Amino acid sequence: MHVSMLELARSGRFGRIEIGAARRQLLEVLPPPSSWSAGSAWELAEIWKYGQIELHFAKDRLWMVFSDSHGLSDGSPSLEMDAWVLRRGLPRTLLEDALREEQIDYSLSQPAYDKRQCVLSTEAGVRFTFMETRDDPQDELGLVAWDLQGER
């Protein structure tokens, strides 16, 4: 399956997968996951992993697509990702420029749980998390995660 991160930012659609889809619907467009959360068989696992992309389930329904891994857009051979401009460490201003160029509206917020972060949310509901300041010189700056969530 092919996924465009530009289309995700614009529409909130993750290829042919929609938030709220049942596991069996995902298996119509994807093979079984390459790995999954520990503690149960893959068919019942709360998280299916395709490379660096995680599909999170609650009661057999997809409620979140998420990545905070190294490349942010490696979906394994079965989930072909077009990263668009996204890469780990991308400065927020470069994503803002790209979104304005594509005429995609967005808003910015700062999560109460970590004042070092800034979350850029597109009007389609996709959230991009940026680390803006460091506590330690080793801390990474720039884009560190993205997600699309529904009701859990």
Side-chain angles (χ1 to χ4, degrees):
M1 183 178 77
H2 179 79
V3 175
S4 163
M5 292 303 291
L6 170 58
E7 188 56 31
L8 178 69
R10 182 186 317 282
S11 69
R13 290 193 51 89
F14 189 75
R16 298 184 344 227
I17 295 172
E18 291 189 24
I19 295 295
R23 292 173 198 262
R24 65 176 164 62
Q25 292 173 295
L26 272 61
L27 292 172
E28 292 172 6
V29 295
L30 287 171
S34 52
S35 63
W36 52 92
S37 55
S40 61
W42 72 266
E43 296 93 336
L44 303 173
E46 290 183 12
I47 301 172
W48 287 0
K49 297 178 182 178
Y50 291 87
Q52 299 168 355
I53 309 302
E54 298 178 4
L55 305 181
H56 291 242
F57 295 89
K59 296 182 180 166
D60 195 45
R61 297 282 177 182
L62 180 66
W63 76 273
M64 180 171 65
V65 181
F66 173 81
S67 182
D68 68 350
S69 295
H70 180 68
L72 297 176
S73 61
D74 174 18
S76 77
S78 57
L79 189 55
E80 179 188 316
M81 302 289 294
D82 176 358
W84 179 44
V85 299
L86 299 180
R87 62 178 167 74
R88 190 158 186 105
L90 178 76
R92 178 173 46 88
T93 56
L94 293 182
L95 181 56
E96 289 181 271
D97 291 345
L99 290 168
R100 278 192 295 274
E101 184 176 306
E102 294 293 334
Q103 299 179 348
I104 299 172
D105 290 333
Y106 64 90
S107 61
L108 300 174
S109 62
Q110 187 176 50
Y113 58 83
D114 191 341
K115 297 296 184 189
R116 299 171 302 153
Q117 293 183 358
C118 179
V119 176
L120 183 155
S121 302
T122 69
E123 68 180 352
V126 182
R127 299 178 335 151
F128 298 95
T129 302
F130 293 85
M131 189 62 70
E132 303 259 288
T133 61
R134 300 177 183 180
D135 283 345
D136 181 299
Q138 304 278 55
D139 288 346
E140 182 177 16
L141 293 177
L143 183 62
V144 295
W146 63 263
D147 67 79
L148 174 64
Q149 296 183 28
E151 295 297 316
R152 187 166 185 187

